[in-house]
């Protein structure tokens, strides 16, 4: 277990689900310091607002589900170390800090959702004593984490059915344990299969410009003892041609009602290459990723990111000044290129209709 | 004109073809110091064996045709600054130095070919005076350069016919002026069109792992005043989907008799993406690139390169230790994905049969 996001109680235990042994016991949010990966595995323990704000902002923790879990557990830690003369005072203090944490990543839906859920729980129990509210807050936060881990594991259980001993699997970017409470989405079937003794050979696209594939996916798969090979994004076609890939599994940031899938830039290209080589292409995502207000993926606007991500490779200038850059953050894979969508509710096959 | 490879005579002129004004005038091989690109344009001038050997070995000059031109002009410079009591002495001295230069890149066919041609010319004229042989040597070297430039320009003239004002063109890696005497192969149609006032919008894949697209192609196109946009390799599909690409032109290292084309890793993937988007895909290469001893590209062995090219992005480790890397240097695009092959003899269309 990587425990990318957890609670570390004052008696030193790493906790991922609530029990009454934690009642009134202090503790801290514990995170993998992801900015140090892949060179170094270091955990940080945090219980003050600005450090937690900073950890989310600086991408110490990233990936929508992981951010939600971290913010909720962080809020519990912040509120837990204070004393309150009454519950209204606690709720006001919690709200102030929740508002601050919510500003750390302005477009992170899971962040707002998790903090709102925490606040709602304590507001609904405003008549309880401050000590009890602190316990309710921690329980709510750890329930969010536990639910996320269970959901990821369910995706993995369903996805595992596609995997057989000796298969080669290609993935893109990082939709792994590090982006969630644990297990991840696209990588979860690989972890569950590995636990069941199924040997796989994973190929990870390095995923320019930010290299989440080589820095994060390759790192976490290797930590789990899974055979992983990193390739540059432009090598995927050759690896497919050589017969090394039996299946592609990627994550998704947003799915429309017809099954079109937005994901990290490059995913759409991989889907075309898979189609050309007759390789099944799967998307793994929690059911909550579906945005049923969208009939198709055409409606999803493509965010443009900072050209410097392309112009500078890790501090060294790699492109001339005075030229243009085009740096779309993600792309949309149309449903006709998708063999199936792996969710915690099972695997869906075309024709997709999620409305 | 970039003049990536030229002769600089002692009176300060940059020369690309021989004239009798150069008879018995000293000079040096002049090269763009390509290892400093894209940050800095600096020319180096060389006339001693070890500096020229080192320039070829360190990739100060790279690209098969450019290396051939540089070695020939370099040999002329080395021989020109010495005095010889007789022609046999000169030929022996030239042969010694040619042998040394030939060791700088052990697999560079153009290097051996150019040096052999130079040696043959002076051996055939062994009865001439040493001064005359020095002139013959320089003329032979500058003829090699001039012929290469003319050939590149012819490729450009033919390829230009495909280009219309406002078109978006995607290229991969660097098959440009920097890799040849001038103009390049894949980029030559763009230069010739630009000279004719045709405005193009070029997209350059950055081309991992060594980024020849962003470091070299983008640089030289920008120097020529051509509009160029760098994308990461995994963005090509999205840029095509957005309708930004009307045509793809790439180079080739080796073509088989049926028109299969070996080129920098990633080319094959781009060809598949072009096919999916109904975008014409052209290969530009001198006719000498055809290896008619090969019936098809399946026979071309795929060289594996150092994993460190992927594991380290410019000095910083970007992938964990203990994992695998797969780093094929090039791939083979099958003829069914190729719309046409642009050579100095014209554009060839399928069905290809070059035997």
């Amino acid at each position: 277990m990587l425990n990318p996001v957890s609670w570390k109680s004052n008696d030193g235990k790493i906790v991922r689900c609530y029990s009454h042994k934690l009642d009134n016991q202090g503790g801290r949010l514990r995170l993998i310091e992801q900015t140090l990966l892949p060179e170094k595995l270091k955990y940080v323990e945090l219980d003050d607002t600005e450090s937690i704000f900073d950890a989310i902002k600086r991408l110490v923790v990233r990936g929508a589900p992981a951010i939600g879990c971290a913010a909720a557990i962080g809020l519990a830690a912040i509120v837990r170390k204070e004393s309150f003369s009454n519950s209204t005072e606690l709720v006001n203090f919690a709200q102030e800090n929740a508002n601050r944490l919510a500003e750390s990543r302005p477009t992170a839906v899971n962040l707002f959702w998790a903090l709102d859920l925490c606040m709602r729980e304590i507001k609904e129990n405003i008549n309880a004593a401050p000590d009890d509210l602190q316990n309710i807050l921690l329980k709510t936060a750890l329930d969010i984490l536990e639910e996320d881990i269970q959901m990821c594991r369910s995706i993995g259980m369903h996805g595992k059915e596609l995997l057989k001993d000796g298969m080669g699997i290609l993935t893109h970017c990082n939709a792994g344990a590090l982006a969630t409470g644990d297990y991840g989405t696209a990588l979860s079937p690989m972890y569950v299969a590995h636990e069941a003794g199924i040997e796989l050979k994973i190929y990870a696209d390095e995923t320019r410009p930010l290299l989440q594939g080589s820095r994060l996916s390759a790192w976490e798969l290797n930590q789990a003892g899974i055979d992983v090979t990193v390739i540059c994004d432009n090598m995927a076609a050759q690896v497919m041609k050589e017969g090394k890939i039996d299946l592609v599994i990627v994550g998704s940031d947003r799915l429309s009602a017809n099954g079109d899938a937005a994901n990290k830039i490059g995913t759409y290209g991989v889907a075309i290459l898979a189609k050309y080589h007759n390789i099944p292409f799967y998307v793994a995502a929690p059911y909550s990723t579906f945005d049923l207000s969208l009939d198709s993926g055409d409606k999803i606007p493509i965010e443009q990111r900072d050209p410097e991500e392309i112009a500078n490779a890790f501090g060294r200038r790699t492109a001339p000044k005075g030229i243009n850059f085009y740096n779309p953050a993600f792309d949309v894979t149309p449903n006709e290129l998708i063999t199936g969508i792996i969710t915690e509710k099972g695997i869906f096959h075309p024709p997709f209709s999620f409305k």
Side-chain angles (χ1 to χ4, degrees), chain A:
Chain A
M1 290 293 91
L2 267 184
N3 292 317
V5 181
S6 58
W7 173 260
K8 186 167 173 188
S9 62
N10 277 351
D11 61 7
K13 293 213 172 66
I14 312 304
V15 175
R16 313 211 298 182
C17 66
Y18 193 78
S19 84
H20 289 290
K21 285 183 191 156
L22 296 174
D23 278 358
N24 304 317
Q25 188 186 164
R28 313 176 100 192
L29 166 66
R30 181 173 179 268
L31 296 173
I32 292 180
E33 167 58 281
Q34 296 194 30
T35 62
L36 301 181
L37 296 177
E39 294 192 87
K40 198 173 163 186
L41 171 58
K42 183 188 158 190
Y43 288 87
V44 291
E45 298 171 14
L46 310 168
D47 66 0
D48 71 287
T49 315
E50 289 314 303
S51 307
I52 296 166
F53 177 92
D54 184 61
I56 299 171
K57 195 180 174 71
R58 280 198 309 118
L59 310 185
V60 169
V61 57
R62 26 69 60 197
I67 291 171
C69 297
I73 297 174
L75 184 65
I78 293 163
V79 172
R80 212 164 175 82
K81 63 173 186 172
E82 303 294 328
S83 297
F84 300 94
S85 51
N86 61 63
S87 292
T88 306
E89 196 187 329
L90 180 149
V91 168
N92 290 342
F93 177 81
Q95 187 67 62
E96 254 171 54
N97 284 282
N99 293 349
R100 175 65 181 152
L101 294 182
E103 289 166 3
S104 57
R105 288 287 296 272
T107 59
V109 175
N110 285 56
L111 171 65
F112 313 143
W113 168 83
L115 291 168
D116 284 351
L117 184 63
C118 289
M119 289 310 304
R120 202 160 59 234
E121 284 295 319
I122 54 173
K123 283 176 184 167
E124 280 175 6
N125 289 284
I126 187 91
N127 292 329
D131 276 12
D132 292 334
L133 288 189
Q134 286 173 326
N135 292 334
I136 288 170
L137 195 54
L138 181 59
K139 180 176 187 309
T140 307
L142 287 174
D143 284 353
I144 290 171
L145 174 63
E146 194 185 354
E147 201 175 290
D148 188 65
I149 295 172
Q150 283 310 325
M151 187 198 60
C152 287
R153 209 179 142 75
S154 293
I155 291 173
M157 296 292 285
H158 290 296
K160 166 182 168 279
E161 298 305 314
L162 303 168
L163 308 183
K164 289 184 187 62
D165 219 47
M167 270 189 169
I169 318 228
L170 178 69
T171 189
H172 189 74
C173 197
N174 177 256
L178 290 168
T180 61
D182 214 333
Y183 290 99
T185 54
L187 300 195
S188 185
M190 307 172 202
Y191 289 123
V192 174
H194 182 70
E195 287 172 7
I198 296 170
E199 297 221 2
L200 302 170
K201 191 159 175 57
I202 313 301
Y203 286 82
D205 281 344
E206 64 173 10
T207 318
R208 279 282 285 154
L210 298 182
L211 303 176
Q212 294 93 336
S214 52
R215 290 192 299 111
L216 305 178
S217 290
W219 180 84
E220 62 169 85
L221 289 163
N222 185 50
Q223 287 284 315
I226 298 176
D227 184 301
V228 58
T229 300
V230 167
I231 57 173
C232 295
D233 299 296
N234 64 19
M235 296 167 187
Q238 177 63 22
V239 173
M240 288 179 182
K241 188 187 202 177
E242 292 179 20
K244 293 184 161 70
I245 307 298
D246 298 293
L247 199 77
V248 178
I249 311 180
V250 299
S252 176
D253 296 308
R254 204 166 170 193
L255 284 150
S256 59
N258 68 344
D260 293 349
N263 193 42
K264 180 66 58 197
I265 186 69
T267 304
Y268 168 56
V270 173
I272 296 169
L273 300 179
K275 181 90 162 183
Y276 184 81
H277 294 93
N278 291 313
I279 296 168
F281 180 92
Y282 285 87
V283 174
Y287 203 83
S288 61
T289 309
F290 282 101
D291 181 346
L292 299 183
S293 73
L294 297 172
D295 289 334
S296 84
D298 303 344
K299 313 282 162 58
I300 302 176
I302 305 288
E303 172 201 353
Q304 288 292 318
R305 291 180 58 87
D306 187 348
E308 289 301 303
E309 290 180 355
I310 302 180
N312 288 289
F314 299 90
R316 182 169 155 179
R317 184 127 195 127
T318 52
K321 308 222 170 189
I323 65 162
N324 311 304
F325 296 91
Y326 190 67
N327 188 12
F330 57 88
D331 55 30
V332 177
T333 300
N335 58 15
E336 66 259 28
L337 295 174
I338 299 174
T339 310
I341 301 175
I342 310 168
T343 77
E344 72 276 25
K345 299 183 183 185
I347 304 180
F348 295 88
H349 293 94
F352 299 117
S353 177
F354 295 96
K355 266 216 168 154

